[in-house]
Amino acid sequence: MNIEPKNNHVKRVADSLNSLMTHASRIGTIKEDTLLLLRGYLANFIQPEIIIATADILTIDYRNKVNQLPRNSLVVGNDTLDLISEFEDEIHSTLMGDRFYDSVRLFYETVVSKMLAKFPHRNDTLSDLVFLNPRNRTHCCIQSITRLCKQFMTTTSEEIDQIIQEFVAYKITPDNQLPLYNSTDIAAIDHFWSAMSSLEVVTSVDLSDSPLAYSNLSKLSKILLTLPHSNADPERLFSMVKKLRLIPVLY
């Protein structure tokens, strides 16, 4: 008897990668997205206490069997659990059960190993770019803004100082004085910074002649939001070209 796991839970976790392939910019959340995906896979075979207690999940010793869940707690999907239950006596009376659960552990270990090797978890620029997400504004530092200015803009020291001043003001501004940020909107960050670029300084009752509050900071943000976060767009273009080339053949 062959047991082929049908793990819909794993598929749902993997499907979260689709969020990285949207047309809207996710460059400001890509670090959070990849860490969330990694955490989801770790939860399939690592003890939750280990994940919760570890400040940096990139340092979890996921190959250590002591940190892994017992075999009956490994996430393998409901269909597979039903199949195991149906042939429980046969599985436990042979080495088949051990081989199966060993293969499950190996699968998760291999996926996590690939994520750690290929995903840019330690990329300094991506760490700086998290400031684009309004939810992170109080946790970001001035050094991140300075590095981004020097890396992606042609600016003078005076202009960088202006951006920093706007950033400091932005960090301490109450939420009700900032544009609405709807995290469920795919293009939420784009919409937020678009609204930020037209936000005026509250200096008087008549705001018609007030200067823009975050003109320089929003300019930096808009530049950063043009950075590609995946290769989905060129891949879609290649697919379209391929379909167009096939049309004469089909008709």
Side-chain angles (χ1 to χ4, degrees), residues 149-215:
C149 288
K150 293 179 178 179
Q151 187 172 359
F152 296 103
M153 295 182 71
T154 303
T155 56
T156 63
S157 296
E158 291 76 12
E159 290 171 330
I160 293 178
D161 287 339
Q162 291 176 355
I163 293 175
I164 291 175
Q165 289 177 8
E166 292 181 6
F167 175 67
V168 172
Y170 164 61
K171 289 180 67 173
I172 62 173
T173 301
D175 290 341
N176 60 4
Q177 295 181 20
L178 294 173
L180 179 65
Y181 174 68
N182 179 11
S183 59
T184 61
D185 180 7
I186 292 178
I189 293 181
D190 301 63
H191 295 159
F192 176 84
W193 284 106
S194 177
M196 281 284 289
S197 65
S198 59
L199 202 64
E200 297 178 327
V201 177
V202 180
T203 56
S204 63
V205 177
D206 181 10
L207 301 179
S208 58
D209 296 325
S210 298
L212 298 178
Y214 305 105
S215 58

Side-chain angles (χ1 to χ4, degrees), residues 15 54 70 97 125 249:
D15 284 345
T54 306
T125 300
V249 177

Side-chain angles (χ1 to χ4, degrees), residues 13-49:
V13 175
D15 284 345
S16 62
L17 269 176
N18 290 333
S19 65
L20 305 182
M21 304 302 174
T22 60
H23 290 291
S25 176
R26 294 191 65 86
I27 195 66
T29 62
I30 194 169
K31 181 175 181 178
E32 299 172 39
D33 291 336
T34 54
L35 285 175
L36 183 62
L37 182 65
L38 175 62
R39 182 181 292 271
Y41 267 99
L42 287 171
N44 290 320
F45 72 113
I46 297 296
Q47 297 182 38
E49 296 82 2

Side-chain angles (χ1 to χ4, degrees), residues 2 7 10 13 15-16 49 55 57 75 122 124 135 144-145 156-157 175 189 192 196-197 213 217 232 239:
N2 292 324
N7 197 338
V10 174
V13 175
D15 284 345
S16 62
E49 296 82 2
I57 63 171
V75 178
R122 300 292 189 186
D124 292 336
R135 293 179 300 183
S144 294
I145 303 300
T156 63
S157 296
D175 290 341
I189 293 181
F192 176 84
M196 281 284 289
S197 65
L217 182 62
S239 298

